[in-house]
Amino acid sequence: MSYSFLQSQKLLLDFVNKNGNILLALSGDSSTPTAISSLLLELDIQLPPDRTSLVVDHFNHDTVSASEKHDVLLLPQPSSARTDLRHFFSGDGTIAFPRAVAQELGNLSPLLAPILQADSTAYSYNPKEEADTVEDPFATGSQIALVSAMQARNSARFTVLGSVEALENVWFDASVQGVQGSKSKTANREFARQLTEWTFMETGVLKVGRVEHHLNSIEQENPGNNSGIELGYLNPKIYRVKNDVVRNFDVTAADTFTVELSEYTHTHWSPPTIPASDALQLEFSMLSPFHRLALLPVQVTPNSTLYSTTFTLPDQHGIFAFKVNYKRPFMTSVDVKREVTVRHFAHDEWPRSWMISGGWVWIAGIWVTIAGWIAFVAIWLWSEPAYDAARGKKIQ
């Protein structure tokens, strides 16, 4: 392995680590360079070892252009497999995928996601092999990812397109015919636009605006239980146990996303929408979460959404953190952390004993003891024996 290859591979990975976005297109007409295969292995994306394999499908191909080789796949535009995810590549058209290179994604990386997968009848095949059957294919069916995406922890995007020919002008508005005889126009132009928009962060981008936390109210009858300084400012550094706290996030969306959340959409920031089956959550944690609460939308502006929740601080003092960690496939990450100190009650902040119903028995016992002592003294003084002055002593 040459030094120049190692340098080029390192440069590409450094580019991603510096928030750079890459769209890599492969072609089945030429063998994949070792440098590309090794780079993709770094991302847990595996290509066929023979480097010349194509994906074929005898039941879902274009009978006009690939009547013999069956290597021009006809696939519907992808749809989301989960209702809690936003999807940016959906549609009703048919995508023509000529001479595609199969990709197999690792199962352990949460950063990888398939965008377009082959049908169950597809398999990877090396056209240079003249055997009538394929005994041990590289991948089959939905194991084959034709278009895959890796979104790094810094939200940089790396997209692998299995067929560069799918981006040719001839396929942008071509007429294709399936095995069943149905004819249709390809949606390659729309899919190419969706793919490049997502890869180069024109969609699926979230941005955090202002982040606020503050006391919810002050007890007018006992203002000592809350600090006036804390109440007067947003984002105080110290709270007291059992305070009521409001936590706000103003979020903007830029088909993208801006807490304040905003989402970027092609040319501007817009208010994001969290799917009904998903949730934006707040964690109030020390070593582990003491609260995990859903942040609900309370206000929508032209370019952002404000999410908020109210809760009571736990009866535990220490160093706590407000955390919002929202990571979903095809969306940039939202990772917010604000540390605060939670103190215990001051000596003059405890409720008085007469305000605690459980202490009424003991308070009553004190007053009964006092009353009994006063009664005893009064009776003892009242029952003093008479005094006989002549005899100089008390008369019993």
Side-chain angles (χ1 to χ4, degrees):
M1 187 174 295
S2 66
Y3 175 77
S4 60
F5 158 66
L6 292 175
Q7 283 295 98
S8 61
Q9 183 178 354
K10 181 178 183 300
L11 287 174
L12 289 175
L13 293 177
D14 288 343
F15 180 73
V16 172
N17 290 332
K18 293 178 181 178
N19 300 315
N21 305 303
I22 296 175
L23 174 60
L24 173 64
L26 306 175
S27 174
D29 284 342
S30 59
S31 61
T32 305
T34 305
I36 298 299
S37 299
S38 300
L39 173 63
L40 295 180
L41 279 176
E42 294 274 353
L43 308 179
D44 207 11
I45 301 175
Q46 187 174 355
L47 301 182
D50 52 30
R51 299 191 295 166
T52 57
S53 291
L54 299 176
V55 179
V56 297
D57 191 336
H58 302 303
F59 299 92
N60 298 282
H61 64 272
D62 180 24
T63 58
V64 176
S65 61
S67 58
E68 295 182 1
K69 295 184 178 180
H70 303 174
D71 57 356
V72 178
L73 309 185
L74 298 183
L75 302 164
Q77 285 186 261
S79 59
S80 178
R82 291 166 48 183
T83 59
D84 59 338
L85 295 182
R86 295 280 303 279
H87 203 264
F88 302 96
F89 315 99
S90 58
D92 299 326
T94 299
I95 303 174
F97 244 72
R99 296 174 292 282
V101 178
Q103 308 160 44
E104 191 173 27
L105 308 185
N107 296 323
L108 301 179
S109 176
L111 307 178
L112 289 174
I115 295 176
L116 182 64
Q117 294 174 291
D119 282 326
S120 59
T121 52
Y123 62 93
S124 180
Y125 166 70
N126 187 350
K128 293 183 179 181
E129 296 179 359
E130 298 182 356
D132 294 333
T133 59
V134 179
E135 295 183 357
D136 189 17
F138 167 71
T140 61
S142 58
Q143 293 176 339
I144 300 174
L146 300 173
V147 184
S148 57
M150 190 280 297
Q151 185 165 261
R153 300 187 190 280
N154 62 357
S155 295
R157 293 169 174 176
F158 193 112
T159 303
V160 183
L161 175 66
S163 172
V164 69
E165 290 84 358
L167 302 181
E168 293 177 352
N169 291 337
V170 66
W171 295 108
F172 274 5
D173 195 26
S175 296
V176 293
Q177 180 175 335
V179 175
Q180 304 299 326
S182 58
K183 295 182 179 181
S184 61
K185 290 284 188 178
T186 60
N188 286 38
R189 183 189 303 273
E190 180 185 0
F191 181 70
R193 177 184 57 81
Q194 294 171 336
L195 190 65
T196 53
E197 285 176 348
W198 182 84
T199 301
F200 299 109
M201 290 196 167
E202 293 184 13
T203 57
V205 178
L206 296 178
K207 182 177 72 173
V208 176
R210 69 179 188 265
V211 180
E212 300 176 356
H213 55 87
H214 57 83
L215 290 176
N216 188 28
S217 63
I218 188 167
E219 302 173 17
Q220 297 295 339
E221 296 182 357
N222 191 9
N225 281 0
N226 292 285
S227 168
I229 296 177
E230 292 175 8
L231 190 66
Y233 294 93
L234 293 174
N235 307 328
K237 295 296 185 183
I238 187 169
Y239 289 101
R240 193 212 66 206
V241 296
K242 297 186 177 181
N243 273 148
D244 289 332
V245 176
V246 176
R247 172 68 165 171
N248 290 336
F249 290 96
D250 186 3
V251 185
T252 307
D255 222 330
T256 307
F257 192 88
T258 263
V259 157
E260 203 173 56
L261 283 183
S262 298
E263 183 182 356
Y264 190 76
T265 308
H266 305 297
T267 58
H268 62 281
W269 294 100
S270 61
T273 302
I274 305 297
S277 54
D278 195 9
L280 181 68
Q281 292 183 322
L282 165 71
E283 289 186 357
F284 190 69
S285 61
M286 190 155 52
L287 293 177
S288 58
F290 279 68
H291 288 291
R292 184 179 285 121
L293 306 167
L295 290 164
L296 303 177
V298 294
Q299 182 182 352
V300 178
T301 69
N303 61 353
S304 66
T305 302
L306 182 68
Y307 292 86
S308 178
T309 188
T310 301
F311 67 98
T312 300
L313 292 177
D315 190 7
Q316 172 71 46
H317 64 274
I319 306 298
F320 284 80
F322 294 102
K323 293 182 180 179
V324 176
N325 190 357
Y326 185 79
K327 295 179 180 178
R328 300 293 185 272
F330 308 120
M331 301 292 290
T332 56
S333 302
V334 174
D335 192 0
V336 176
K337 181 179 179 180
R338 299 289 188 274
E339 288 188 352
V340 294
T341 300
V342 178
R343 63 175 176 85
H344 50 66
F345 281 94
H347 71 280
D348 60 345
E349 291 181 334
W350 296 98
R352 301 307 178 190
S353 57
W354 58 82
M355 298 177 62
I356 303 174
S357 59
W360 292 349
V361 174
W362 311 105
I363 295 174
I366 292 173
W367 286 108
V368 168
T369 301
I370 294 174
W373 172 251
I374 293 174
F376 168 75
V377 172
I379 293 173
W380 184 79
L381 292 176
W382 177 79
S383 60
E384 180 182 9
Y387 183 76
D388 188 350
R391 298 176 63 182
K393 63 180 180 180
K394 293 180 180 179
I395 300 174
Q396 299 296 330

